[in-house]
Amino acid sequence: YSPIINKESILQKLDALYNISRDISHDTTDLEENKSFSRQVSELLISYQSEDREINIYGNNDEIWINITEEVRNEVFIILRELMTNMKKYSQSSEVTIQFQQLSQHFNIIYTDNGIGIQRNAQFGSGIKNTETRIKNIMSTITFETHENKGLEILIYFPIN
């Protein structure tokens, strides 16, 4: 005798549990006090590298983060983690570049990849919605642009206090 298994029901329950655990993780950073913030950001981003995906990081150094408050750093870390998680799940990219720029009164983070971009009818889940909330919390803006020749560009812009 073998029981009848409703695979669709099990998958829906697993997805619900995944979303709950992901929401919990959105509320925490894994920042370590004894490591520089730039190093932790680099380690986070590089952790998404694989045999099939190269991660390039430009401009991330200790000096660039000096005038950024701890609260904003925490939000940026979580935003970057969410963007990279979505990249890994959906983008099909083989190359990702993240550039950090501090200009006179604002800070830019420019993310680009060579993946499939965001489809026009894409449904945004809780991850992107949480990211939008975090962006507003730090008085920031975020723009997403899918390029015709494949690829996605995301610009995060926030003022420096």
Side-chain angles (χ1 to χ4, degrees):
Y1 166 78
S2 68
I4 297 173
I5 297 174
N6 183 339
K7 291 180 184 176
E8 188 62 34
S9 174
I10 290 172
L11 288 174
Q12 287 175 349
K13 290 176 184 175
L14 283 172
D15 190 49
L17 287 172
Y18 168 77
N19 286 325
I20 290 168
S21 68
R22 191 169 172 185
D23 288 345
I24 291 169
S25 74
H26 288 163
D27 295 334
T28 62
T29 61
D30 298 322
L31 297 176
E32 299 175 38
E33 288 183 30
N34 60 347
K35 276 190 191 173
S36 74
F37 184 70
S38 64
R39 181 172 175 197
Q40 292 178 75
V41 167
S42 290
E43 288 175 358
L44 168 73
L45 299 174
I46 291 298
S47 72
Y48 288 87
Q49 190 160 285
S50 69
E51 273 184 27
D52 303 326
R53 184 179 313 104
E54 181 180 344
I55 306 291
N56 302 296
I57 304 166
Y58 299 101
N60 181 36
N61 56 55
D62 291 339
E63 294 78 34
I64 202 164
W65 296 103
I66 288 174
N67 296 318
I68 308 302
T69 66
E70 184 177 350
E71 175 189 358
V72 171
R73 288 180 188 191
N74 288 335
E75 295 289 0
V76 166
F77 189 86
I78 295 169
I79 290 165
L80 288 172
R81 183 173 60 194
E82 181 60 39
L83 293 178
M84 296 302 283
T85 298
N86 283 340
M87 173 277 302
K88 184 177 180 180
K89 287 175 65 174
Y90 304 114
S91 78
Q92 302 174 21
S93 62
S94 61
E95 187 170 353
V96 176
T97 301
I98 303 97
Q99 182 175 0
F100 299 88
Q101 301 174 330
Q102 182 180 339
L103 304 172
S104 61
Q105 299 298 313
H106 65 274
F107 196 101
N108 290 337
I109 301 171
I110 304 162
Y111 164 100
T112 56
D113 72 32
N114 65 349
I116 62 171
I118 297 175
Q119 306 308 303
R120 288 179 191 227
N121 59 353
Q123 297 292 316
F124 294 118
S126 62
I128 291 295
K129 291 174 184 165
N130 287 341
T131 297
E132 289 175 341
T133 300
R134 291 184 187 285
I135 290 290
K136 289 176 186 169
N137 288 345
I138 61 173
M139 297 178 294
S140 181
T141 60
I142 187 169
T143 58
F144 298 84
E145 185 175 335
T146 296
H147 297 286
E148 286 186 33
N149 58 345
K150 282 196 164 190
L152 177 65
E153 180 175 283
I154 301 170
L155 173 63
I156 300 170
Y157 163 97
F158 58 90
I160 297 173
N161 294 343

